[in-house]
Amino acid sequence: MKLEKIAIATGNEHKVEEIRNLLGPLPLIVTGLPPGGEMPAETGNEFRENARIKAQYGFKLTGLPTLADDSGLEVDALQGAPGVHSARYAGEGAGAAANNKKLLQALEGIENRRARFRCSIVLVMDDMSIEADGTCEGIILDGPRGRGGFGYDPLFMLPELGKTMAEISQQEKNAISHRGRAMANLVAALKARGLL
Amino acid sequence: MKLEKIAIATGNEHKVEEIRNLLGPLPLIVTGLPPGGEMPAETGNEFRENARIKAQYGFKLTGLPTLADDSGLEVDALQGAPGVHSARYAGEGAGAAANNKKLLQALEGIENRRARFRCSIVLVMDDMSIEADGTCEGIILDGPRGRGGFGYDPLFMLPELGKTMAEISQQEKNAISHRGRAMANLVAALKARGLL
């Protein structure tokens, strides 16, 4: 019983593109949700919980195996904030620029800049769901660098590469990002279970 | 990777016993949750949702693969009520006698007595969860019959047997009840995936 077609449940167009891209080489038809719906509130305290909420929502809507991710930035000096609130750190709908500004202010004068992106991905099917995680370690800069990516990417320096997440190619990002790693883990789990 | 030990997440001692009984023949160590905890609120609109909430809670608490069920009675003439509210139909903590009384009152003078028990079971593991359902069709009597079972069992007539769910043996119940069928479906799904 192989997967043939899946839906991606997200309100973020950037994520749809990244996930399509990550799934590109696989023999899968990838569809979004029907337009017009509003994504459910992400009320979970953990990335996995929010990914589950979104994937269950998409599964109910489409009847297709549905994949959703939830991801965010954990900053050590901020006790793991913004965490599950990453997308709305500066307020609901405030956007990436405001979030980045708030993060820089919160870290002003602070020496410990260690942080990590985390991603959880959940694939919900009729009688089973599969979950996977990925992380990516880095350093928060004093200001943005690069024009790629989205969200906190321009502030997130990858020490091994000497570049921010906004300065690397999509291909590099797929290989080392939290989302790329979570997806690789999910794909491995699906293959191990004969679903791909 | 076979399952060796699982936890059952429920606040209902009757259910622990029934589930232990159903799992009896399998090479599984079955444990409850550590005492003293309070089960999470069952806020879902569907049996599966509530089963997921309980199983996730138990998994977090124990770190063990955790099984939870949610079940209830759907009465056709009551548009599917009491449904997910079956255990608290007459109010939180009111108990089975009050629930049964309320059901009989709601059906007074109503000819269509068709109803079904539904059960959903969810087994949550670290990176996967498996879900299964079972149903059992019956008729709501005008008054209780039998001393076995619990909940609505004494009012629930099994037409093929001419007995209520409270008049049959545990062994018969395991074979035909909603919970027995859901568990059989779950066990089949676990075996199909090499987990049992």
mmCIF file of all heavy atoms in Angstrom, chain A residues 3 6 8 69 81 83 113 148 160 165:
data_model
loop_
_atom_site.group_PDB
_atom_site.id
_atom_site.type_symbol
_atom_site.label_atom_id
_atom_site.label_comp_id
_atom_site.label_asym_id
_atom_site.label_seq_id
_atom_site.Cartn_x
_atom_site.Cartn_y
_atom_site.Cartn_z
ATOM 1 N N LEU A 3 1.929 5.208 -0.771
ATOM 2 C CA LEU A 3 1.337 6.535 -0.882
ATOM 3 C C LEU A 3 1.423 6.990 -2.326
ATOM 4 O O LEU A 3 2.458 6.835 -2.975
ATOM 5 C CB LEU A 3 2.101 7.529 -0.019
ATOM 6 C CG LEU A 3 1.906 7.433 1.485
ATOM 7 C CD1 LEU A 3 2.908 8.336 2.187
ATOM 8 C CD2 LEU A 3 0.497 7.837 1.846
ATOM 9 N N ILE A 6 -0.613 13.077 -1.680
ATOM 10 C CA ILE A 6 -0.771 13.642 -0.344
ATOM 11 C C ILE A 6 -1.119 15.119 -0.441
ATOM 12 O O ILE A 6 -0.845 15.776 -1.446
ATOM 13 C CB ILE A 6 0.499 13.489 0.524
ATOM 14 C CG1 ILE A 6 1.646 14.347 -0.035
ATOM 15 C CG2 ILE A 6 0.950 12.033 0.607
ATOM 16 C CD1 ILE A 6 2.805 14.460 0.930
ATOM 17 N N ILE A 8 -0.744 18.925 1.574
ATOM 18 C CA ILE A 8 0.058 19.659 2.554
ATOM 19 C C ILE A 8 -0.846 20.691 3.206
ATOM 20 O O ILE A 8 -1.482 21.483 2.518
ATOM 21 C CB ILE A 8 1.250 20.359 1.880
ATOM 22 C CG1 ILE A 8 2.156 19.306 1.247
ATOM 23 C CG2 ILE A 8 2.030 21.180 2.896
ATOM 24 C CD1 ILE A 8 3.327 19.896 0.519
ATOM 25 N N ASP A 69 3.706 20.653 8.919
ATOM 26 C CA ASP A 69 4.875 20.832 9.773
ATOM 27 C C ASP A 69 4.607 21.960 10.741
ATOM 28 O O ASP A 69 3.701 22.780 10.547
ATOM 29 C CB ASP A 69 6.123 21.115 8.944
ATOM 30 C CG ASP A 69 6.345 22.599 8.715
ATOM 31 O OD1 ASP A 69 5.344 23.326 8.536
ATOM 32 O OD2 ASP A 69 7.498 23.032 8.721
ATOM 33 N N ALA A 81 12.603 30.693 23.999
ATOM 34 C CA ALA A 81 11.714 31.566 23.206
ATOM 35 C C ALA A 81 12.424 31.903 21.889
ATOM 36 O O ALA A 81 13.652 31.838 21.830
ATOM 37 C CB ALA A 81 11.398 32.842 23.992
ATOM 38 N N GLY A 83 10.240 29.870 20.317
ATOM 39 C CA GLY A 83 9.647 28.528 20.318
ATOM 40 C C GLY A 83 8.398 28.391 19.460
ATOM 41 O O GLY A 83 8.399 28.842 18.310
ATOM 42 N N ARG A 113 24.639 33.686 21.937
ATOM 43 C CA ARG A 113 23.740 33.831 20.789
ATOM 44 C C ARG A 113 23.338 32.469 20.244
ATOM 45 O O ARG A 113 22.796 32.383 19.141
ATOM 46 C CB ARG A 113 24.432 34.629 19.659
ATOM 47 C CG ARG A 113 25.216 35.846 20.108
ATOM 48 C CD ARG A 113 24.337 36.972 20.511
ATOM 49 N NE ARG A 113 23.590 37.548 19.407
ATOM 50 C CZ ARG A 113 22.967 38.728 19.477
ATOM 51 N NH1 ARG A 113 22.988 39.444 20.593
ATOM 52 N NH2 ARG A 113 22.296 39.181 18.447
ATOM 53 N N GLY A 148 17.694 35.318 0.765
ATOM 54 C CA GLY A 148 16.915 34.096 0.553
ATOM 55 C C GLY A 148 16.065 33.778 1.782
ATOM 56 O O GLY A 148 15.988 34.559 2.725
ATOM 57 N N GLU A 160 29.222 26.262 10.560
ATOM 58 C CA GLU A 160 30.070 25.435 9.672
ATOM 59 C C GLU A 160 30.191 26.058 8.279
ATOM 60 O O GLU A 160 31.177 25.843 7.586
ATOM 61 C CB GLU A 160 29.498 24.014 9.522
ATOM 62 C CG GLU A 160 29.339 23.249 10.821
ATOM 63 C CD GLU A 160 28.020 23.558 11.515
ATOM 64 O OE1 GLU A 160 27.284 24.469 11.040
ATOM 65 O OE2 GLU A 160 27.720 22.903 12.523
ATOM 66 N N MET A 165 21.155 31.385 6.992
ATOM 67 C CA MET A 165 20.177 30.539 6.302
ATOM 68 C C MET A 165 19.590 31.265 5.101
ATOM 69 O O MET A 165 18.986 30.629 4.225
ATOM 70 C CB MET A 165 19.074 30.164 7.299
ATOM 71 C CG MET A 165 18.235 28.992 6.918
ATOM 72 S SD MET A 165 19.076 27.393 7.147
ATOM 73 C CE MET A 165 18.236 26.752 8.606
#
